[in-house]
Amino acid sequence: MACALSLRQRCFLCFATVRSMRMLPTTSRKIQTTTSQNEETADIVISGGGMVGTAMACALGHEELLKDKKIVLLEAAAKKSYTVPEAFSNRTCAISPSSVDLLSSVGAWNEVEQMRCHSVKRMQVWDSCSDSLITFSNDNLLDDLAYIAENDVIEEALRRRLEAVSDRVDVRYQTSAKSFIIPGVTPGHAETHQNSWVTVGLQDNCVLKTKLLIGADGIFSAVRKAGEFHTIQRDYKQTAVVATLQVDESIDNSVAWQRFLPTGPIAMLPLSSKYCNLIWTTTPDQARYLKEIPEESFVDAVNDAFWHDRDRNDLVVKAGEMFQSVINTTVQGEK
């Protein structure tokens, strides 16, 4: 959900950048030959054709202000043929209403709904060490709080919508960037005037020159490295175990559950009326243990993690009560 929200904000930022920058003439939509036959120009180059890169390409391709611009999307993998499988994937996203709006703006949300997704009408989050609990829901429980969709489904919906703007977005499968020259950053290229180009060297020895390069190439982003963007990393020494669980069909499976344990959070997200996606973040040792035990023992461990009370700490409970008392007193004083 956060990823998609961040993507939406970045889309708007890119639109603002495109409007304010000196773009190429409209004739640049066709491949231009400059100093060699292997060199061409594009108004926008997106490196990385996963969920984020494809969504960005869709958003830019459907933007009327950019209808005369050349947009190139580089995707290292081959073009995939996708059919919704019977079994659910363990890789899912929680989609907020604002993210639904973003996907709807390019026609992708309708594609997601035609394949499969599931609504979340309530979310309950609580702590294993105390009585602390918070519930998120709309007042009448009629409106959806969020949706759970598989990553593969979202990506396929976006790929389908890219085909609708194939005259604006040039998707190059099995193509990736191997080098970048960024003016003012790359050693030996200090020029930063308005006519400076970002140069992208491709694996087939072709060269793309662009005024706007967007990096959507994953956790080990080559664009981020070439641009010398500073990041802060921290090893939490945790591992996430993911699984698809079948639940009792007699219950209303529209609630997202999350409990914070001393070793990390465990969450269950509804995938359908009878299946949930489990994400259990814990220590590497416990994660290995959970993957090795029999299926029945794993289910017992999941139920235990959600409902046991052995982590309860009276000191934590007391501190929570005191904090709640202070909050209540402050709120009453403001009335």
Side-chain angles (χ1 to χ4, degrees):
M1 189 186 317
C3 288
L5 281 172
S6 176
L7 169 64
R8 185 170 189 246
Q9 294 167 349
R10 291 177 185 176
C11 283
F12 292 149
L13 177 60
C14 284
F15 294 156
T17 302
V18 169
R19 293 188 187 106
S20 63
M21 71 189 295
R22 179 180 177 181
M23 298 299 296
L24 297 170
T26 58
T27 54
S28 67
R29 283 190 43 74
K30 299 187 180 296
I31 294 178
Q32 298 178 351
T33 302
T34 54
T35 58
S36 74
Q37 293 182 344
N38 291 333
E39 186 173 288
E40 59 182 290
T41 59
D43 296 294
I44 303 171
V45 173
I46 303 170
S47 181
M51 187 188 304
V52 174
T54 305
M56 178 63 78
C58 262
L60 296 176
H62 283 82
E63 172 57 49
E64 283 301 307
L65 292 174
L66 305 178
K67 64 182 180 180
D68 295 321
K69 303 304 177 184
K70 177 181 177 181
I71 302 168
V72 175
L73 174 63
L74 305 177
E75 168 52 42
K79 186 175 182 179
K80 294 186 289 186
S81 176
Y82 180 80
T83 302
V84 180
E86 182 178 351
F88 285 90
S89 168
N90 290 331
R91 298 173 64 246
T92 63
C93 281
I95 310 297
S96 70
S98 57
S99 298
V100 170
D101 290 342
L102 172 62
L103 294 172
S104 297
S105 68
V106 298
W109 185 246
N110 184 54
E111 299 281 357
V112 171
E113 290 184 308
Q114 288 181 13
M115 285 182 278
R116 65 182 176 203
C117 64
H118 195 66
S119 62
V120 177
K121 297 192 178 297
R122 186 163 62 91
M123 181 175 183
Q124 181 168 305
V125 183
W126 73 107
D127 179 45
S128 67
C129 298
S130 68
D131 297 324
S132 299
L133 179 149
I134 186 170
T135 299
F136 301 92
S137 65
N138 291 305
D139 293 337
N140 54 16
L141 293 181
L142 295 178
D143 298 325
D144 297 322
L145 189 67
Y147 298 86
I148 308 300
E150 298 154 87
N151 290 14
D152 291 341
V153 168
I154 299 172
E155 290 182 15
E156 173 62 15
L158 290 166
R159 280 193 294 268
R160 291 180 183 179
R161 294 307 301 158
L162 266 183
E163 294 177 358
V165 288
S166 58
D167 59 326
R168 302 184 186 183
V169 182
D170 179 10
V171 184
R172 303 188 184 182
Y173 293 100
Q174 294 182 292
T175 304
S176 60
K178 68 175 184 180
S179 65
F180 302 92
I181 297 176
I182 301 178
V185 176
T186 304
H189 299 271
E191 70 276 9
T192 57
H193 54 79
Q194 63 180 358
N195 292 322
S196 298
W197 296 80
V198 174
T199 303
V200 182
L202 306 181
Q203 62 185 18
D204 60 2
N205 295 322
C206 290
V207 173
L208 270 175
K209 287 193 170 184
T210 183
K211 290 299 183 80
L212 177 59
L213 171 65
I214 299 173
D217 46 350
I219 185 172
F220 301 111
S221 171
V223 174
R224 183 181 65 201
K225 182 178 179 180
E228 297 183 359
F229 299 118
H230 298 290
T231 60
I232 297 175
Q233 294 181 332
R234 177 181 175 184
D235 184 0
Y236 286 90
K237 301 187 185 304
Q238 291 178 315
T239 299
V241 176
V242 295
T244 301
L245 302 179
Q246 185 171 354
V247 297
D248 188 341
E249 293 187 61
S250 64
I251 66 171
D252 177 18
N253 194 29
S254 62
V255 181
W257 307 89
Q258 184 175 38
R259 192 184 196 196
F260 283 88
L261 307 171
T263 53
I266 181 172
M268 280 208 310
L269 309 175
L271 288 171
S272 69
S273 61
K274 63 177 182 178
Y275 288 103
C276 275
N277 179 219
L278 173 78
I279 306 99
W280 188 346
T281 304
T282 185
T283 64
D285 287 342
Q286 188 181 17
R288 281 191 292 271
Y289 166 76
L290 290 170
K291 290 190 290 183
E292 293 171 355
I293 60 177
E295 189 174 288
E296 295 79 6
S297 299
F298 182 83
V299 171
D300 290 340
V302 171
N303 284 321
D304 177 74
F306 272 107
W307 306 112
H308 76 74
D309 59 2
R310 58 179 172 273
D311 295 331
R312 184 179 176 85
N313 187 305
D314 291 338
L315 181 61
V316 174
V317 173
K318 187 65 176 178
E321 291 174 348
M322 292 176 62
F323 179 76
Q324 185 63 51
S325 177
V326 171
I327 294 296
N328 292 340
T329 301
T330 301
V331 171
Q332 291 176 0
E334 292 177 350
K335 291 182 177 179

